[in-house]
Amino acid sequence: MADTSGSPTPSVTAVGYFLASEDHGPAELVEQARMAEQAGFTSLWISDHYHPWNSAQGHSPFVWSVLGALAEATSLPVQTAVTCPTVRVHPAVVAQAAATSAVLLGEGRFRLGVGTGEALNEHVLGDRWPPAPVRLEMLEEAVRLIRTLCTGQETTHHGRHYTVENARLYDVPDGGVPIDVAGFGPSAVELAGRIGDGFITTEPDSDAVARFRRAGGGQNPVRGGAKVSYDTDRDRAAKAVLDRWPNMFLPGELAQVLPTPAHFEQASRLVTEQHVTDSGIPLGDDPDEHVRALLAYRDAGFDAVHVSQIGPDLQGFFDFYRSKVLPRLTA
């Protein structure tokens, strides 16, 4: 399908769908996954949260249970985006959960996405929330431990942050579990390059992609996530973003350090509809706007982008992407 200039629209490598666990219950997520496959999306991301960002979202199902259901509901590959394997859940437990998910989903269908997390989800057991450099150090040790355990060998580990004694996973996938690392700041991006099988981020940032590759990422895949708000009314689409996802517009490290949904709601009172409309998030039902936003990821060097719909009209969104957006992205 041609764009408005008459030239073919360049394709992106892959377009997946992002299941937002904060915004939907477990049965809804499974149904969305089915709808995404029927619409032509080629993979799935699923967020891993203990709390939603705010009460308007109002959900946070246990991701590993949902992954079991997804293994039966679709044939698409699935990745957590992202799991924090450092504070609330010990990396040995994450390793078992990831290995089981990989076995259930089958060869090549599961990737573990990991990151340093947020206090919102990780402080709930009363543990201290460490500063960013310590969180990165913990993540690096956790990834090493998860990789070792996912080989199926008996493991004893006495590290700076974690201890494991005589641990062995008996159900592991052939070849282990690929682990992609999320990053935003330079240190996290460089860590992803050093230890990740791939890189995850949510902005079409070509500088971050270049930093990842220089740090050792080489030709490993780079995957992105993008929020959109489909609606037949643009103003209604903007209001849906403001009502449900104002946390996206909070600056600096607030997303990592605020401890409860109530704190995010308080900070989000500073976010206005102007922030939403000026953000570049596709709003409404203009296919050109959606295509441009997603092609920005291709232009920044991404191998795939996963799209998350904000707003109630899920059937309309999937019909819109099936008929008017995806054909132009994969032409």
Side-chain angles (χ1 to χ4, degrees):
M1 185 172 181
D3 64 16
T4 54
S5 69
S7 301
T9 303
S11 64
V12 295
T13 302
V15 184
Y17 185 70
F18 194 165
L19 298 163
S21 297
E22 310 93 314
D23 210 10
H24 302 281
E28 295 173 285
L29 294 169
V30 174
E31 181 56 29
Q32 286 177 37
R34 293 192 185 100
M35 296 167 75
E37 185 167 23
Q38 292 166 3
F41 290 92
T42 58
S43 58
L44 299 169
W45 268 10
I46 183 165
S47 55
D48 181 357
H49 267 239
Y50 195 89
H51 289 144
W53 298 101
N54 55 58
S55 57
Q57 294 170 0
H59 294 278
S60 58
F62 189 52
V63 71
W64 304 106
S65 299
V66 180
L67 281 164
L70 293 177
E72 292 298 312
T74 84
S75 63
L76 296 179
V78 188
Q79 179 167 46
T80 57
V82 293
T83 293
C84 178
T86 60
V87 178
R88 172 173 48 96
V89 185
H90 192 284
V93 178
V94 173
Q96 185 183 30
T100 299
S101 297
V103 170
L104 279 173
L105 282 154
E107 184 176 358
R109 284 187 60 203
F110 179 73
R111 297 179 77 91
L112 177 63
V114 298
T116 57
E118 307 89 16
L120 175 72
N121 301 302
E122 304 308 319
H123 85 291
V124 295
L125 301 181
D127 297 285
R128 173 178 176 265
W129 183 237
V134 177
R135 299 200 303 267
L136 289 168
E137 185 180 89
M138 295 171 74
L139 181 62
E140 184 166 7
E141 184 178 339
V143 167
R144 286 199 306 269
L145 184 54
I146 292 167
R147 287 196 199 282
T148 301
L149 286 165
C150 284
T151 66
Q153 69 187 60
E154 184 175 307
T155 301
T156 294
H157 172 88
H158 297 283
R160 181 167 184 178
H161 300 286
Y162 306 106
T163 297
V164 168
E165 293 185 349
N166 309 118
R168 179 184 173 190
L169 300 180
Y170 283 81
D171 292 287
V172 296
D174 294 338
V177 176
I179 302 176
D180 296 344
V181 178
F184 300 98
S187 296
V189 174
E190 289 170 4
L191 179 66
R194 286 195 289 108
I195 70 171
D197 295 312
F199 174 45
I200 291 172
T201 193
T202 56
E203 296 289 340
D205 186 344
S206 59
D207 291 337
V209 174
R211 184 182 295 273
F212 164 74
R213 301 211 181 282
R214 288 195 305 268
Q219 296 307 305
N220 286 342
V222 176
R223 295 176 172 88
K227 292 283 196 297
V228 307
S229 184
Y230 165 83
D231 198 294
T232 54
D233 181 274
R234 182 179 175 84
D235 291 338
R236 194 164 56 211
K239 187 175 187 304
V241 176
L242 183 63
D243 289 346
R244 302 190 75 85
W245 285 89
N247 54 284
M248 292 192 299
F249 306 100
L250 297 179
E253 293 187 74
L254 289 179
Q256 282 72 52
V257 301
L258 293 180
T260 70
H263 287 97
F264 278 93
E265 290 168 9
Q266 292 165 13
S268 294
R269 292 172 191 161
L270 300 173
V271 179
T272 68
E273 190 166 321
Q274 190 71 38
H275 289 105
V276 176
T277 56
D278 289 347
S279 68
I281 292 175
L283 303 170
D285 61 354
D286 179 356
D288 289 342
E289 186 176 354
H290 288 255
V291 168
R292 281 195 303 270
L294 300 181
L295 285 177
Y297 288 82
R298 181 218 57 190
D299 295 341
F302 284 66
D303 299 283
V305 58
H306 292 78
V307 183
S308 181
Q309 157 68 358
I310 300 173
D313 189 1
L314 272 300
Q315 186 62 62
F317 164 84
F318 284 117
D319 289 344
F320 173 66
Y321 264 69
R322 176 182 50 80
S323 62
K324 296 184 178 180
V325 178
L326 292 180
R328 290 177 57 178
L329 294 171
T330 57

